[in-house]
Amino acid sequence: MVLVVSEEVREAIETRRPVVALESTIIAHGLPRPRNLRVALELEEAVRGEGAVPATVAVLDGRPLIGLDKAQLERVANDGGVRKLGHRDLPFAVAARASGATTVSATARLAALAGIRVFATGGLGGVHREWTVTQDESADLGLLARTGITVVCAGVKSILDVPATLQRLETLGVAVAGYGTDRFPGFYLSDSGHPVDWTLRSPEEVAEVMRAQDALGAAESALIVANPVPEAEQLDPGLHARVLDEALTACAERGVTGQAVTPFLLDHLVRHTDGASLRANLAAVRGNVRLGARIATAWARG
């Protein structure tokens, strides 16, 4: 098998101990150095603190790695040549012996292949604004429609078209539940302004849904557990609305289109909120990682 699973992760999977997959794009491309490495180590420690095994995923020299040691984490954090890999890029990266950090779609794909059932991340990709013109939609959605993994996230970023994303997930048959809420979170915000149909209130309830998916033959698609950032740690909604509106206007005025839109908007949010959006981002990721470990523990109890 092309996958390289660390000894710690392999033993945990084989003995049904809880394992949580973690993406590496946040390390390589989401945070400035040296903060990125500190956060990577912190997130792994948070998983261990909840009694689970972290499995950070990346591709190094063409080898998809499930579970990184410290030297490998340092390489992902510090090597400027590490690419950003979606699941469609994986065959190219393996064949070319390239190195890359895995996005949500690539992490979910590789983690599921390794037999990991729980994946914790920040936020999902989704349907972009002006989709009727651009047809721009994240590869995350289609991949999750055919991958049996539970994804703990803080919803989707508010720069996206949230209602269209929810509609697309429904069309694709991807199960979505709010964790402790009947509202879909907006990543930086506790509430995107849109409802969800189902609410789960404990890791044990999430694990029961996962078991029901298996019993019903529905585990070929993902379960999204949308865990809102605490209100005390969210980006101020008024500031968020103002800065996002300014960012969208600047994007249109400068003619930014296609794949350049998302990084442009995110960079604008970070710079014009004095880093508050980044702090909300990290608060969301930390909460998701801890919850992911608790869900993995409940699932492992079987």
Side-chain angles (χ1 to χ4, degrees):
M1 179 181 286
V2 70
L3 292 182
V4 180
V5 182
S6 74
E7 182 177 355
E8 180 186 27
V9 173
R10 178 180 53 78
E11 289 180 354
I13 293 170
E14 290 175 351
T15 58
R16 287 194 57 81
R17 290 172 54 210
V19 180
V20 179
L22 303 172
E23 64 158 290
S24 51
T25 294
I26 189 175
I27 306 169
H29 302 287
L31 296 168
R33 303 186 183 108
R35 190 177 189 181
N36 57 346
L37 179 59
R38 292 200 301 269
V39 169
L41 294 170
E42 176 192 342
L43 295 179
E44 290 209 342
E45 187 57 34
V47 172
R48 296 187 193 282
E50 296 290 341
V53 174
T56 302
V57 178
V59 177
L60 293 178
D61 302 318
R63 298 184 306 152
L65 304 177
I66 315 297
L68 305 183
D69 61 28
K70 187 175 181 182
Q72 290 165 337
L73 279 173
E74 290 174 348
R75 181 176 171 187
V76 171
N78 297 320
D79 185 348
V82 170
R83 301 178 60 141
K84 184 176 181 179
L85 304 177
H87 72 278
R88 71 169 188 169
D89 303 307
L90 293 174
F92 296 102
V94 170
R97 295 181 173 81
S99 297
T102 52
T103 64
V104 167
S105 67
T107 304
R109 175 66 175 158
L110 293 174
L113 285 174
I116 298 171
R117 190 64 182 269
V118 179
F119 167 32
T121 186
L124 298 182
V127 176
H128 289 241
R129 294 168 186 254
E130 300 185 354
W131 181 88
T132 54
V133 176
T134 65
Q135 301 286 292
D136 193 358
E137 173 187 311
S138 171
D140 293 355
L141 306 186
L143 188 282
L144 294 176
R146 57 183 187 275
T147 303
I149 196 163
T150 295
V151 183
V152 183
C153 66
V156 299
K157 293 183 176 69
S158 51
I159 62 172
L160 301 172
D161 188 329
V162 177
T165 299
L166 287 169
Q167 180 60 55
R168 186 72 175 128
L169 288 167
E170 180 180 348
T171 299
L172 291 169
V174 179
V176 179
Y179 188 79
T181 180
D182 61 0
R183 311 294 292 175
F184 191 67
F187 191 63
Y188 302 116
L189 304 176
S190 301
D191 182 356
S192 69
H194 301 279
V196 290
D197 293 329
W198 295 95
T199 301
L200 299 173
R201 301 190 181 278
S202 70
E204 289 73 24
E205 285 189 7
V206 178
E208 281 301 306
V209 173
M210 294 164 64
R211 294 185 188 104
Q213 281 183 312
D214 288 348
L216 294 166
E220 69 274 7
S221 64
L223 167 62
I224 295 174
V225 179
N227 181 39
V229 62
E231 286 189 13
E233 296 182 281
Q234 71 175 342
L235 183 60
D236 176 76
L239 175 63
H240 171 271
R242 176 177 60 80
V243 174
L244 179 57
D245 186 61
E246 292 171 354
L248 292 168
T249 299
C251 190
E253 289 175 348
R254 299 183 190 185
V256 179
T257 59
Q259 292 183 342
V261 171
T262 295
F264 177 88
L265 295 177
L266 293 177
D267 178 67
H268 190 100
L269 279 171
V270 171
R271 289 187 292 106
H272 292 271
T273 61
D274 294 325
S277 66
L278 181 58
R279 290 191 291 275
N281 179 338
L282 291 175
V285 174
R286 291 183 183 107
N288 295 340
V289 164
R290 290 191 292 269
L291 177 58
R294 293 166 191 161
I295 292 170
T297 299
W299 168 252
R301 293 191 188 113

